[in-house]
């Protein structure tokens, strides 16, 4: 079956565009807005709800993320090669996935409720935050719905469909037709996720890429010399140091 | 031995009148912005009192600073690194805005907009956090001058700590008779717990002068440093989502002038100077087993700047000669190690704080005076210091982890100086047995008196400038002129005549040098170099404030080797860093 032009646009062009925006957007933001690169924590304003909402959401979403790495990134043949049966895989995916999914959704609900109802937090919410929450919630809810639906009503094995399409994007082995054949829920979930990726670099979600794993290994106290590092961003035009090289 | 230099401060609490000038000027200089309304890099708290943020000294609750684990190793009190990462999504020990106070403004507009009415309109307080009407219940110095002390002071963690040691009755009496002010800034610790708790490594200690700074471009808003600092001197800017803290006014200190809080201190009670220390011994000293030994341990980390071995090692470590000279003349070193009257604030937090305090003798003097006895006589004062257990216990809880001996010794030395110098002032024969009783001689007492009572500006502040050849660079470290946006008035740029046309000396450096010269000069001399709107103080002419005539200006610009020499700008050079070109 040759794919229709609309399928190519939806499942080839748009994904590439979104991923390009995702990568270049992060580079751009990091270069020009390091100062804005933060979680913008709102804990100063409110901590009772955050105490539950934030850990639930974060632990949930991190589990969901690793679930996606497994489900989308690892081909079926690999898990079968290490002797994991389809039934076992399915059982693990559904149970772990369900727990993680529920945590994420409950956490998300608390976070959004808090954003809307706690005055100071709402005041500190930007338009970007709101847009981000719309996409994030839609993606998460649809994802959970797909898991439930594909297990209860009829069976769709995304590892033979969506996953192959997704891996293909990175291997330039394009399969838009696989997405066309997927249930509508999966299609919308994937499309919204792509749009969320395009939005990502311009929201507070950039904090994900600063996850401070290095903290575990670095010495406790950081010393920095005045000379070796002059400011943390590039000097303004005309203020470069003598001998810094980039002079005509 | 790894010699490092540390910029440090000593405050003489006897002289603090609690006027809050230091806090206000600091706020004007650094934190009068949205997001930092509640932030006071410098605050002055009345003791006994809860402090700011409320009860920050209660480390059982706030978990700041370091502690020794079961194996005797130094760890952050709030937990291991792994634990910090697991609790990063919601920091369990972070003070909320209410623990500081909810900042507010007033809706002054109603005063002018209100319709004609019978009653005078009032400006109601509006929260700067939620924007709503609010009731003012607390502030950074709500319990100033013991206001509300019967209700509030019992929550003072220091009082709670000494409650077991002294009886309840005496404690209440003491609340009536004993009060002093404690001005606080960041301690610029040798072993900063804030830096150690920062997951992204954005807080660093400057290798040259030990000033602890937050790199605003690297801070990711994990807000762990707020918990880490036991003095609660890292603040979270709720608008930008980044941590901010006292900078020791590094742009000023780098050019050799004191911090804003010191410069404006009404009591002239702050001293700034260098201390040399052995960086290799810091960890061991901070790991000292008994809390009460920490004061001694920290003093042992300091190196004698007069010791030839230290001087040699300092030179090998790349510390410039004039810095070593400054360390030798340092008032901070003298107060800590020569006269031994300065003590660290809460050494038991194990961060090795570097803002030290001379404990106040005045509460003791006041008590003696109230009894009608001679409050300047050494015997009376010595007796009172021994008898008045409560002030001494209280000060010991603040400065020596509860060990009254060092506090006692300091107060006796101050009392001896008071009585010895009184005799001299009255033209009596000075009694040499008085200094001898505190292990000093008349000469040293004289010297100490000089430093404590009459020292001039340049004796109180011995601040070697950072090296001139680095000045351009230093100017830009972590400072950012708010006008420096692309095309903005502060935007540096190539002038129309190539790279070095127009003045390139960073404006602040130039101004600081100029103003310093004028501040420390005896007469009003006209400004010697270019005048601009920032440094013109209405004395003398305005040479250079307005553009020179085109012909002169052009001639000037061709002047070779004029790289850093400030001079009038050509009329076409509107984009020069001063923005005053047109
Ligand atoms: C990888 C490690 C991550 C770390 C260390 C981390 C850490 C944080 C922190 C410290 C906050 C601020 C909470 C506060 O005090 O207000 C936060 C907020 C937030 N994070 Fe993460 N995060 C991570 C991953 C993620 C991921 C994968 C997502 C979603 C895709 C995410 C979405 C959010 C959102 C939406 C908020 C805002 C919550 C609010 O409404 O206040 N984070 N994160
Ligand atoms: S007092 Fe200053 S240097 Fe010390 S831990 Fe607190 S913020 Fe850091
Ligand atoms: S300006 Fe000086 S005297 Fe006034 S409160 Fe501050 S430290 Fe005390």
């Amino acid at each position: 079956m040759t794919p229709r032009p609309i399928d190519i646009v939806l499942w080839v062009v748009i994904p590439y565009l979104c991923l390009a925006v995702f990568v270049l957007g992060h580079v751009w933001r990091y270069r020009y807005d390091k100062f804005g690169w933060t979680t913008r924590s709102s804990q100063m304003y409110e901590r009772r709800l955050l105490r539950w909402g934030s850990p639930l959401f974060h632990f949930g979403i991190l589990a969901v993320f690793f679930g996606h790495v497994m489900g989308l990134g690892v081909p079926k043949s690999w898990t079968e090669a290490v002797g994991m049966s389809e039934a076992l895989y399915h059982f693990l995916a559904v149970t772990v996935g369900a727990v993680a999914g529920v945590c994420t959704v409950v956490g998300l609900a608390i976070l959004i409720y808090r954003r809307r109802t706690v005055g100071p937090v709402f005041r500190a919410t930007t338009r970007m935050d709101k847009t981000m929450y719309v996409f994030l919630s839609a993606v998460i809810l649809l994802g959970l719905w797909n898991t439930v639906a594909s297990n209860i009503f009829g069976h769709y094995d995304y590892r033979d469909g969506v996953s192959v399409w997704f891996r293909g994007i990175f291997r330039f082995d394009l399969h838009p037709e696989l997405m066309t054949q997927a249930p509508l829920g999966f299609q919308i979930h994937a499309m919204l996720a792509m749009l969320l990726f395009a939005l990502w670099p311009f929201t507070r979600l950039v904090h994900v890429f600063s996850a401070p794993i290095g903290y575990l290994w670095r010495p406790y106290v950081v010393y920095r010399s005045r000379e070796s590092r002059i400011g943390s961003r590039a000097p303004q035009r005309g203020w470069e140091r003598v001998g810094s090289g980039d002079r005509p | 031995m790894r010699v490092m230099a540390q910029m440090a401060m000593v405050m003489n609490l006897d002289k603090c009148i609690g006027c809050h000038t230091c806090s206000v000027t600091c706020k004007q200089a650094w934190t009068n912005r949205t997001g930092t309304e509640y932030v006071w890099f410098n605050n002055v708290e009345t003791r006994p009192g809860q402090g700011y943020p409320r009860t920050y000294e209660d480390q059982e609750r706030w978990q700041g600073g370091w502690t020794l684990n079961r194996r005797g190793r130094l760890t952050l009190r709030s937990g291991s690194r792994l634990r910090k990462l697991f609790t990063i999504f919601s920091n369990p020990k972070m003070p909320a805005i209410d623990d500081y106070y909810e900042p507010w403004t007033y809706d002054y507009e109603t005063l002018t907009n209100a319709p004609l009415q019978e009653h005078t309109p009032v400006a109601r307080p509006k929260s700067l956090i939620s924007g709503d009407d609010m009731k003012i219940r607390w502030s950074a110095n709500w319990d100033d001058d013991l206001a509300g002390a019967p209700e509030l002071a019992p929550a003072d963690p220091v009082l709670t700590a000494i409650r077991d040691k002294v009886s309840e009755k005496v404690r209440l009496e003491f609340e009536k008779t004993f009060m002093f002010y404690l001005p606080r800034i960041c301690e610029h610790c040798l072993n900063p717990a804030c830096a150690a708790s920062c997951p992204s490594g954005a807080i660093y200690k400057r290798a040259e002068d030990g000033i602890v700074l937050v790199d605003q471009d690297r801070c990711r808003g994990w807000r762990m440093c707020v918990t880490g600092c036991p003095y609660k001197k890292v603040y979270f800017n709720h608008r930008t989502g980044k941590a901010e803290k006292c900078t020791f006014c590094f742009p000023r200190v780098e050019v050799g002038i004191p911090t804003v809080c010191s410069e404006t201190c009404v009591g002239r009670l702050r001293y700034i100077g260098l201390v040399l220390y052995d960086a290799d011994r810091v960890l061991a000293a901070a790991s000292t087993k008994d809390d009460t030994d920490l004061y001694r341990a920290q003093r042992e980390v300091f190196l004698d700047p007069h010791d030839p071995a230290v001087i040699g090692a300092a030179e090998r470590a790349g510390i410039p000669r004039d810095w070593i000279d400054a360390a030798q003349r340092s008032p901070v070193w003298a107060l800590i190690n020569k006269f031994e009257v300065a003590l660290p604030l809460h050494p038991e937090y194990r961060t090795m704080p570097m803002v030290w305090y001379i404990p106040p003798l005045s509460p003791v003097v006041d008590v003696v005076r109230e009894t009608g006895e001679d409050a300047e006589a050494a015997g009376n004062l010595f007796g009172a210091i021994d008898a008045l257990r409560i002030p001494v216990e209280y000060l010991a809880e603040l400065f020596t982890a509860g060990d009254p001996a060092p506090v006692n010794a300091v107060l006796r030395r101050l009392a001896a100086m008071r009585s010895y110098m009184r005799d001299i002032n009255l033209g009596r024969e000075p009694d040499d047995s008085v200094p001898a009783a505190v292990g000093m001689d008349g000469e040293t007492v004289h010297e100490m008196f000089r430093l404590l009572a009459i020292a001039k500006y340049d004796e109180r502040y011995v601040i070697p400038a950072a090296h001139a050849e680095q000045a351009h660079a230093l100017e830009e470290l972590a400072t950012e002129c708010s006008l420096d946006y692309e095309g903005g008035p502060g935007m540096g740029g190539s002038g129309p005549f190539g790279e070095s046309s127009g003045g390139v000396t960073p404006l602040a450096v130039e101004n600081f040098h100029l103003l310093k010269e004028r501040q420390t000069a005896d007469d009003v001399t006209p400004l010697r170099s270019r005048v601009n709107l920032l440094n013109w103080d209405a004395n003398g002419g305005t040479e250079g404030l307005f553009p020179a005539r085109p012909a002169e200006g052009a001639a000037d610009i061709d002047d070779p080797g004029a790289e850093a020499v400030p001079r009038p700008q050509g009329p076409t050079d509107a984009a020069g860093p001063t923005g005053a070109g047109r």
Side-chain angles (χ1 to χ4, degrees), chain B residues 1 3 303-316:
Chain B
M1 178 159 48
V3 186
L303 297 170
D304 182 354
H306 301 280
D307 178 348
V310 171
I311 296 176
E315 272 168 355
R316 278 192 300 281

CSV table of all heavy atoms in Angstrom, one decimal, chain B residues 1 3 303-316:
chain,number,residue,atom,x,y,z
B,1,MET,N,50.6,22.2,53.2
B,1,MET,CA,49.9,23.5,53.5
B,1,MET,C,49.5,24.1,52.1
B,1,MET,O,50.3,24.3,51.2
B,1,MET,CB,50.9,24.5,54.2
B,1,MET,CG,50.2,25.8,54.5
B,1,MET,SD,51.0,26.7,55.8
B,1,MET,CE,52.7,26.7,55.5
B,3,VAL,N,47.8,27.4,51.0
B,3,VAL,CA,47.4,28.7,51.6
B,3,VAL,C,46.3,29.3,50.7
B,3,VAL,O,46.4,29.3,49.4
B,3,VAL,CB,48.5,29.7,51.6
B,3,VAL,CG1,48.1,31.0,52.3
B,3,VAL,CG2,49.7,29.1,52.4
B,303,LEU,N,46.2,30.9,59.3
B,303,LEU,CA,47.7,31.0,59.3
B,303,LEU,C,48.1,32.3,59.6
B,303,LEU,O,47.5,33.3,59.3
B,303,LEU,CB,48.2,30.6,57.9
B,303,LEU,CG,47.8,29.2,57.4
B,303,LEU,CD1,48.1,29.0,55.9
B,303,LEU,CD2,48.5,28.1,58.2
B,304,ASP,N,49.3,32.4,60.3
B,304,ASP,CA,49.8,33.6,60.8
B,304,ASP,C,50.5,34.3,59.6
B,304,ASP,O,51.5,33.8,59.1
B,304,ASP,CB,50.8,33.4,61.9
B,304,ASP,CG,51.4,34.7,62.4
B,304,ASP,OD1,51.1,35.7,61.8
B,304,ASP,OD2,52.2,34.6,63.4
B,305,PRO,N,50.0,35.5,59.1
B,305,PRO,CA,50.5,36.1,57.9
B,305,PRO,C,51.9,36.7,58.1
B,305,PRO,O,52.5,37.1,57.2
B,305,PRO,CB,49.5,37.2,57.6
B,305,PRO,CG,48.9,37.5,58.9
B,305,PRO,CD,48.9,36.2,59.7
B,306,HIS,N,52.4,36.7,59.4
B,306,HIS,CA,53.7,37.2,59.7
B,306,HIS,C,54.8,36.1,59.6
B,306,HIS,O,56.0,36.3,59.6
B,306,HIS,CB,53.8,37.9,61.0
B,306,HIS,CG,52.8,39.0,61.1
B,306,HIS,ND1,53.1,40.3,60.6
B,306,HIS,CD2,51.6,39.1,61.6
B,306,HIS,CE1,52.0,41.1,60.8
B,306,HIS,NE2,51.1,40.4,61.4
B,307,ASP,N,54.3,34.8,59.7
B,307,ASP,CA,55.2,33.7,59.7
B,307,ASP,C,55.9,33.5,58.3
B,307,ASP,O,55.2,33.4,57.3
B,307,ASP,CB,54.4,32.4,60.1
B,307,ASP,CG,55.2,31.2,60.1
B,307,ASP,OD1,56.3,31.2,59.6
B,307,ASP,OD2,54.6,30.1,60.6
B,308,PRO,N,57.2,33.6,58.3
B,308,PRO,CA,57.9,33.5,57.0
B,308,PRO,C,57.5,32.2,56.2
B,308,PRO,O,57.4,32.3,55.0
B,308,PRO,CB,59.4,33.4,57.4
B,308,PRO,CG,59.5,34.0,58.8
B,308,PRO,CD,58.2,33.7,59.4
B,309,ALA,N,57.3,31.1,56.9
B,309,ALA,CA,56.9,29.9,56.2
B,309,ALA,C,55.6,30.1,55.5
B,309,ALA,O,55.4,29.6,54.3
B,309,ALA,CB,56.8,28.7,57.2
B,310,VAL,N,54.7,30.8,56.2
B,310,VAL,CA,53.4,31.0,55.6
B,310,VAL,C,53.5,32.0,54.4
B,310,VAL,O,52.9,31.7,53.3
B,310,VAL,CB,52.4,31.6,56.6
B,310,VAL,CG1,51.1,32.1,56.0
B,310,VAL,CG2,52.1,30.6,57.7
B,311,ILE,N,54.3,33.0,54.6
B,311,ILE,CA,54.5,33.9,53.5
B,311,ILE,C,55.0,33.2,52.2
B,311,ILE,O,54.5,33.4,51.1
B,311,ILE,CB,55.4,35.1,53.9
B,311,ILE,CG1,54.8,35.9,55.0
B,311,ILE,CG2,55.7,36.0,52.7
B,311,ILE,CD1,55.6,37.0,55.6
B,312,GLY,N,56.0,32.4,52.5
B,312,GLY,CA,56.6,31.6,51.3
B,312,GLY,C,55.6,30.8,50.7
B,312,GLY,O,55.4,30.8,49.4
B,313,ALA,N,54.8,30.1,51.5
B,313,ALA,CA,53.8,29.2,50.9
B,313,ALA,C,52.7,30.0,50.2
B,313,ALA,O,52.2,29.6,49.1
B,313,ALA,CB,53.1,28.3,52.0
B,314,ALA,N,52.4,31.1,50.7
B,314,ALA,CA,51.4,32.0,50.1
B,314,ALA,C,51.9,32.5,48.7
B,314,ALA,O,51.1,32.5,47.7
B,314,ALA,CB,51.0,33.2,51.0
B,315,GLU,N,53.2,32.8,48.7
B,315,GLU,CA,53.7,33.3,47.4
B,315,GLU,C,53.7,32.2,46.4
B,315,GLU,O,53.3,32.4,45.2
B,315,GLU,CB,55.1,33.9,47.6
B,315,GLU,CG,55.0,35.3,47.9
B,315,GLU,CD,56.3,35.9,48.4
B,315,GLU,OE1,57.3,35.1,48.6
B,315,GLU,OE2,56.4,37.1,48.7
B,316,ARG,N,54.1,31.0,46.8
B,316,ARG,CA,54.1,29.8,45.9
B,316,ARG,C,52.6,29.5,45.5
B,316,ARG,O,52.4,29.1,44.3
B,316,ARG,CB,54.7,28.6,46.6
B,316,ARG,CG,56.2,28.6,46.6
B,316,ARG,CD,56.7,27.2,47.0
B,316,ARG,NE,56.4,26.9,48.3
B,316,ARG,CZ,56.9,27.3,49.4
B,316,ARG,NH1,57.9,28.2,49.3
B,316,ARG,NH2,56.5,26.9,50.6
